[in-house]
Amino acid sequence: MGKKIYYSKPLKYFWHHYYGTQKKFTPDFTNDQIFTVLRRNILNAPLGLSETPQSRGLIISGLELWRDDYMGELLHIFFLDRELRDFLEKTPLSDIEGIKKFLYENGKKREILHLYSNEKRETVVYKFALHLPYEADGYAFSLSIEDDGGVDLYFALGENGGRMSDRFYADVNKKNDAISLTQAKVFRLAINTIAYMKCFPDCVSNGVPQNLLEKNENKLAKNFTFQSSEKIKENQNSPLSKIPHFRKGHFRVLHSDYFANKKGEVIFVTETMVKGNAKTVSTSSEIDKFTGNSDKN
């Protein structure tokens, strides 16, 4: 039997700090009741010295992702290799307009209540969480795509959360300060994770990793395991290093009629051509649940 591995836990801060604390005061409350109490208390509390309406909104966004999680509506993705996270963070968004169009056409539409305007709008939404081996905090993302093509991303990592748009990304991607570099990496990670799933479905399997240390995961959750595709690796047999190396490239959507029945598919374009074989693992029959293709509104 192989060694068991600890994977990071997305939204751990909300499960422990908010839910765990409230559960001690109201042990008989259902999760829905606890969510209602927490949301009301957060919105009604006076702003602290270091708080702003924007920072308060980030907490509410995280709380709403926590609600999706306990209801089993948040997709959970396990990366078998931490290096896959690093690769997706670094992969440039060279075809961001094409990827945005693909996400809009293939996503699931949901009615979203905007917090301060109290306005409901139907938008395409992707919500998912990332688990990484041997790390404490996992990522949680809520990605919405508006009718005008704009992309709005909320992310949670530990106690920290943030929000940015594709327009904001274009600005921070030109900067080199630590905050801008982190924001740009998180935005690329969110977009590229979705592109990776559609580009390499043979590297996506249903369920949690077999070497997962803890087996008390939410039985309602939709779990997927991502393996690194051999198509993005290079120098994998090099004796100089045991650390996987990934090829430089980017994800692109095929637009031209020249590609016939492949039009609209997501592909990975490498900077150079090398020989390689795709590693085949089971293809999940539930991938459509991620995009909503099996149950579009």
Side-chain angles (χ1 to χ4, degrees):
M1 180 179 296
K3 180 181 178 181
K4 296 297 182 180
I5 295 178
Y6 174 84
Y7 286 81
S8 59
K9 297 180 179 179
L11 300 173
K12 181 172 65 175
Y13 179 68
F14 289 89
W15 277 104
H16 292 178
H17 179 74
Y18 286 100
Y19 171 77
T21 301
Q22 184 62 42
K23 190 67 174 177
K24 293 178 181 178
F25 291 110
T26 55
D28 297 328
F29 277 23
T30 66
N31 287 347
D32 286 337
Q33 290 173 320
I34 289 178
F35 169 78
T36 300
V37 169
L38 288 173
R39 190 178 191 277
R40 183 185 64 232
N41 289 346
I42 292 171
L43 288 175
N44 292 339
L47 292 176
L49 293 177
S50 60
E51 277 192 297
T52 64
Q54 290 74 25
S55 64
R56 180 69 59 84
L58 292 178
I59 297 175
I60 295 298
S61 294
L63 194 67
E64 290 173 344
L65 268 181
W66 169 75
R67 177 188 57 185
D68 290 328
D69 195 19
Y70 77 69
M71 293 179 65
E73 296 178 358
L74 185 65
L75 178 74
H76 285 256
I77 298 173
F78 292 79
F79 282 4
L80 292 183
D81 307 309
R82 277 188 298 183
E83 291 76 17
L84 179 58
R85 184 269 312 272
D86 301 334
F87 165 75
L88 295 176
E89 283 182 341
K90 296 176 182 177
T91 299
L93 300 176
S94 300
D95 184 30
I96 189 170
E97 291 303 320
I99 297 294
K100 283 163 53 179
K101 184 174 184 293
F102 170 85
L103 296 177
Y104 182 77
E105 293 175 348
N106 291 272
K108 184 174 183 179
K109 289 192 174 182
R110 294 178 57 176
E111 194 174 63
I112 301 297
L113 176 64
H114 291 262
L115 181 60
Y116 292 104
S117 66
N118 203 32
E119 176 187 0
K120 286 186 177 181
R121 291 204 302 266
E122 191 177 66
T123 59
V124 174
V125 179
Y126 293 82
K127 295 186 177 185
F128 59 100
L130 292 184
H131 301 252
L132 301 173
Y134 300 117
E135 292 197 8
D137 296 315
Y139 298 82
F141 298 107
S142 178
L143 188 73
S144 61
I145 305 174
E146 308 295 334
D147 289 336
D148 63 359
V151 174
D152 180 72
L153 172 69
Y154 165 79
F155 67 91
L157 178 62
E159 298 183 22
N160 302 309
R163 173 169 277 111
M164 64 185 303
S165 68
D166 58 309
R167 298 176 181 86
F168 184 59
Y169 169 77
D171 181 52
V172 301
N173 197 40
K174 301 174 184 177
K175 301 178 180 179
N176 291 315
D177 60 281
I179 294 177
S180 296
L181 290 173
T182 298
Q183 291 171 328
K185 286 197 302 183
V186 171
F187 191 79
R188 287 192 294 267
L189 176 61
I191 299 291
N192 285 330
T193 295
I194 302 174
Y196 185 89
M197 188 176 205
K198 302 305 296 185
C199 186
F200 301 114
D202 55 328
C203 291
V204 178
S205 58
N206 192 21
V208 300
Q210 294 183 355
N211 60 0
L212 180 64
L213 178 63
E214 297 185 30
K215 294 295 184 180
N216 60 342
E217 70 277 359
N218 183 0
K219 301 301 181 182
L220 297 176
K222 297 180 283 286
N223 297 309
F224 291 92
T225 298
F226 280 27
Q227 191 162 6
S228 298
S229 172
E230 297 295 341
K231 291 183 178 180
I232 62 174
K233 292 181 180 179
E234 64 179 4
N235 300 326
Q236 60 191 45
N237 297 319
S238 172
L240 299 179
S241 176
K242 295 182 180 180
I243 300 176
H245 286 73
F246 293 98
R247 310 197 56 204
K248 293 182 179 180
H250 63 274
F251 294 100
R252 179 171 293 276
V253 178
L254 298 177
H255 299 288
S256 174
D257 293 331
Y258 174 80
F259 299 105
N261 60 352
K262 290 186 177 293
K263 183 178 180 181
E265 289 188 10
V266 179
I267 63 170
F268 181 72
V269 181
T270 58
E271 290 189 354
T272 58
M273 297 296 294
V274 298
K275 294 181 180 180
N277 297 315
K279 181 178 293 184
T280 302
V281 297
S282 59
T283 300
S284 172
S285 61
E286 299 185 11
I287 288 180
D288 282 342
K289 289 184 179 180
F290 183 60
T291 61
N293 290 337
S294 63
D295 184 24
K296 281 195 174 183
N297 293 335

